[in-house]
Amino acid sequence: MSIRDNVKRVQDCIAASCARVDRDPSSVTLVAVSKLKTVAEIIEAADAGLQHFGENRVEEGVEKIPQVNESARGNITWHMVGHIQSRKAKQVVQRFDIVQSVDSLKLAKRLSRFAVESGRVLSAHLEINISGEASKYGLAGYNWYQDHSVKARLWREASEIAALPNIEIRGLMTMAPYGAEEKTVRRVFSDLRDLRDELTREIELPLPELSMGMTDDYQIAIEEGATMIRIGRALFGERV
């Protein structure tokens, strides 16, 4: 199937998922994850109507973003969705519109510093390690609703990051365990949603965005309240 066909199929699945929980499909932003994809493939996806693209690797995004922006017919919004080394924070601020992977106070301070220097306000999400997997990045959030020390630290970190200049925290992001049973995946997503609601109530931090769900689990994520889904394989095919 072509990329255009894949886009239509994913959009149809988004609409079906939204219908199951009485949501408007327009409340879900589809972010096409273009890691290892060529400029031509990204432009083909943009021509099929996609406006949001996500890159996992800073150096790859820095190389491709200007080329795509020059050739694409519409305006593209670029999301950084992968782990960011502190030494690459300046490049991220220079090239990306939204950073979904703010996974530490240290990184947030670096992003804030370069955003101030460049005179821009950077839109960002806090990446939360809800599943507790050692292999995943993110602010520690596993069992936050029962472990008071985890909750206290997370509240403190979120408050400090939100207070930094020129960085606007717009939401939370997480990943579910790969290959997990549906009930486990659903629990991860519902825990992030509940965390968002609690943070909003207790520290008055508006967090309209929930970025969760990828190719294998985005329909579950939508049912649990995702406002952004990050899709690569279902749009572009298997990575080689």
Side-chain angles (χ1 to χ4, degrees):
M1 298 179 74
S2 69
I3 291 176
R4 182 175 293 274
D5 291 335
N6 290 341
V7 169
K8 177 63 166 57
R9 182 174 58 180
V10 170
Q11 289 173 333
D12 287 344
C13 287
I14 292 171
S17 300
C18 286
R20 287 194 291 272
V21 290
D22 196 25
R23 292 184 61 188
D24 185 339
S26 66
S27 67
V28 179
T29 299
L30 172 56
V31 180
V33 179
S34 46
K35 174 184 176 182
L36 300 180
K37 298 305 172 183
T38 64
V39 169
E41 288 173 307
I42 298 171
I43 291 173
E44 184 178 347
D47 287 344
L50 299 188
Q51 298 176 303
H52 294 260
F53 290 84
E55 286 288 332
N56 294 72
R57 299 172 179 172
V58 176
E59 58 275 15
E60 186 179 346
V62 166
E63 180 180 349
K64 291 191 294 190
I65 287 172
Q67 300 177 59
V68 174
N69 287 349
E70 184 177 349
S71 302
R73 283 179 281 189
N75 291 327
I76 302 296
T77 299
W78 290 96
H79 300 244
M80 182 62 206
V81 299
H83 176 64
I84 304 168
Q85 295 173 307
S86 293
R87 62 186 176 86
K88 297 180 181 179
K90 185 174 183 178
Q91 292 174 294
V92 170
V93 172
Q94 291 172 335
R95 292 297 188 191
F96 289 87
D97 303 298
I98 299 172
V99 179
Q100 295 203 23
S101 47
V102 177
D103 58 10
S104 70
L105 178 58
K106 176 184 176 182
L107 173 62
K109 288 179 176 179
R110 293 276 291 177
L111 293 171
S112 172
R113 170 191 161 191
F114 292 121
V116 169
E117 289 180 0
S118 63
R120 63 170 300 199
V121 176
L122 183 67
S123 182
H125 297 171
L126 300 178
E127 181 176 358
I128 310 294
N129 185 349
I130 284 284
S131 66
E133 295 172 272
S135 61
K136 283 187 167 57
Y137 293 102
L139 303 175
Y142 176 69
N143 204 27
W144 65 269
Y145 44 85
Q146 290 184 325
D147 190 324
H148 296 300
S149 64
V150 170
K151 180 177 178 178
R153 178 178 178 180
L154 187 53
W155 261 232
R156 183 175 65 253
E157 290 174 325
S159 298
E160 289 188 45
I161 293 172
L164 292 171
N166 290 52
I167 184 166
E168 181 184 14
I169 302 302
R170 296 277 301 160
L172 305 180
M173 183 268 263
T174 200
M175 290 179 284
Y178 297 116
E181 295 182 357
E182 180 179 332
K183 64 179 181 180
T184 300
V185 172
R186 197 173 290 278
R187 180 63 178 270
V188 166
F189 294 153
S190 65
D191 282 354
L192 189 75
R193 183 193 64 229
D194 292 345
L195 172 61
R196 185 274 306 274
D197 294 345
E198 193 88 351
L199 278 170
T200 298
R201 281 194 301 268
E202 293 196 0
I203 65 174
E204 299 182 351
L205 180 61
L207 297 167
E209 304 291 356
L210 282 178
S211 177
M212 53 191 196
M214 299 187 292
T215 290
D216 292 333
D217 54 26
Y218 71 90
Q219 295 183 66
I220 299 171
I222 290 170
E223 292 172 4
E224 295 299 334
T227 65
M228 286 185 177
I229 54 174
R230 309 178 306 275
I231 308 296
R233 187 163 23 95
L235 295 171
F236 294 107
E238 298 288 343
R239 296 190 180 105
V240 293

